[in-house]
Amino acid sequence: MSRGNENTQEPSIHPVVFLGAGPGDPELITLKGRRLLDQADLIIYAGSLVNTALLEGVGGRCHDSAGMDLEAIITLVLKGYRQGLKVVRLHTGDPAIYGAIREQMQWLDREGVDYEVVPGVSSAFATAATLKRELTVPEVTQTVILTRQAGRTPVPERESLTRLAAIQATMCIFLSVSMMDQVVADLTAGGYSEETPVAVVEKASWPEERVLRGTLKTISAQIGSSKIRKTAMIIVGPALDDASTIASKLYDTSFKHEYR
Ligand code: SAH
């Protein structure tokens, strides 16, 4: 609903949109996201990871936030919002995962600014799609952990990779490929065997996507020779092992249909 009024020249107010751009492929954005981008007056995008092909043909002004700090981003957002512009803050994948949107939303809360969040396809799921693997396999694991190796951003000790590895679930490890040796050391210390399957996908869903498949024993050397250093997802766990032939009961003839 527009609160604008032509007589008083008061601009109409549009909620700021935090939008998930998806993992890279410009077709992997939601229909709602595509519409909001097309209608936006001002788009502030995380240039290091968002595929700029998404911005081709848009009418709004586009700003790369790569060189901007939080204050500069918020200043730009507030200015646009108060001018009545449709402002989109475009984040890679899904904004709820390592999107750093919390501090932006809290700042907007303090300013009394209205906003909404529109989800996107996380790179974790784009990577699973590339690998053609289901991350939850009956009787193997029914749990997916989205996590990262501690880096400049610390990770609480109770959820270190070593601790999480003890669960033997499927793990999607973000932001960590440059520390692969440490990832492998921590996972093995935590109880994953050296034979545990692991895959690394660089730039999943982009044209230049690269895939490495190996085990915890081989993957460090594979990463070393591939020179993959960033924008890569590590997925590890027994669910990647195609040898398991256990099928889900969901489509078993004896399973009640209402759960399908
Ligand atoms: N919100 C994003 C994650 C941002 S953190 C999401 O939901 O995907 C940035 C990290 O995400 C990168 O270091 C990398 O681990 C991962 N990443 C982002 N895009 C990727 C892609 N296309 N392929 C593989 N990993 C990707």
Side-chain angles (χ1 to χ4, degrees):
M1 201 173 54
S2 165
R3 278 188 258 151
N5 180 326
E6 277 171 34
N7 298 329
T8 61
Q9 298 290 307
E10 195 185 298
S12 37
I13 293 296
H14 307 282
V16 171
V17 179
F18 292 94
L19 175 57
D25 179 346
E27 289 191 317
L28 289 178
I29 187 169
T30 60
L31 291 174
K32 183 169 188 171
R34 184 67 260 168
R35 175 177 59 76
L36 289 165
L37 271 188
D38 291 335
Q39 294 174 347
D41 302 303
L42 174 62
I43 299 164
I44 306 160
Y45 65 99
S48 56
L49 284 169
V50 166
N51 189 349
T52 49
L54 283 164
L55 304 176
E56 279 165 20
V58 297
R61 255 188 311 135
C62 299
H63 285 264
D64 182 356
S65 62
M68 297 163 76
D69 63 11
L70 177 63
E71 187 171 1
I73 293 168
I74 297 292
T75 303
L76 196 58
V77 168
L78 289 176
K79 199 169 155 222
Y81 174 81
R82 288 177 179 147
Q83 285 172 348
L85 302 184
K86 293 179 179 150
V87 181
V88 169
R89 177 73 178 112
L90 188 61
H91 283 271
T92 181
D94 186 281
I97 304 295
Y98 305 116
I101 58 168
R102 183 174 185 262
E103 52 266 49
Q104 299 177 60
M105 294 190 293
Q106 288 176 338
W107 196 318
L108 296 187
D109 285 337
R110 288 195 297 273
E111 300 282 341
V113 168
D114 200 12
Y115 54 83
E116 62 176 305
V117 182
V118 176
V121 176
S122 174
S123 58
F125 302 116
T127 297
T130 291
L131 296 171
K132 301 193 178 85
R133 284 293 179 276
E134 180 168 348
L135 304 182
T136 52
V137 178
E139 295 176 47
V140 176
T141 181
Q142 291 290 290
T143 302
V144 181
I145 297 172
L146 307 183
T147 189
R148 60 172 300 168
Q149 175 70 258
R152 265 181 305 175
T153 307
V155 172
E157 169 51 31
R158 65 178 179 278
E159 51 187 70
S160 65
L161 289 186
T162 303
R163 294 264 197 117
L164 296 179
I167 300 169
Q168 306 274 305
T170 304
M171 290 166 77
C172 301
I173 307 175
F174 291 71
L175 295 157
S176 304
V177 77
S178 65
M179 299 174 273
M180 198 67 202
D181 291 349
Q182 192 59 47
V183 170
V184 169
D186 288 0
L187 293 175
T188 5
Y192 275 129
S193 81
E194 283 196 321
E195 304 314 315
T196 306
V198 50
V200 173
V201 178
E202 180 190 43
K203 300 198 89 171
S205 87
W206 291 66
E208 62 268 38
E209 162 187 290
R210 286 197 289 169
V211 181
L212 301 178
R213 294 172 202 264
T215 63
L216 283 178
K217 193 174 182 172
T218 64
I219 198 74
S220 279
Q222 291 171 275
I223 293 284
S225 49
S226 73
K227 306 227 167 12
I228 292 176
R229 294 286 172 273
K230 57 178 190 147
T231 324
M233 176 65 54
I234 305 164
I235 300 192
V236 60
L240 294 186
D241 187 352
D242 219 14
S244 165
T245 52
I246 301 163
S248 167
K249 290 193 173 59
L250 190 56
Y251 290 97
D252 195 286
T253 30
S254 60
F255 207 66
K256 286 211 179 83
H257 290 200
E258 67 248 40
Y259 296 106
R260 285 185 188 165

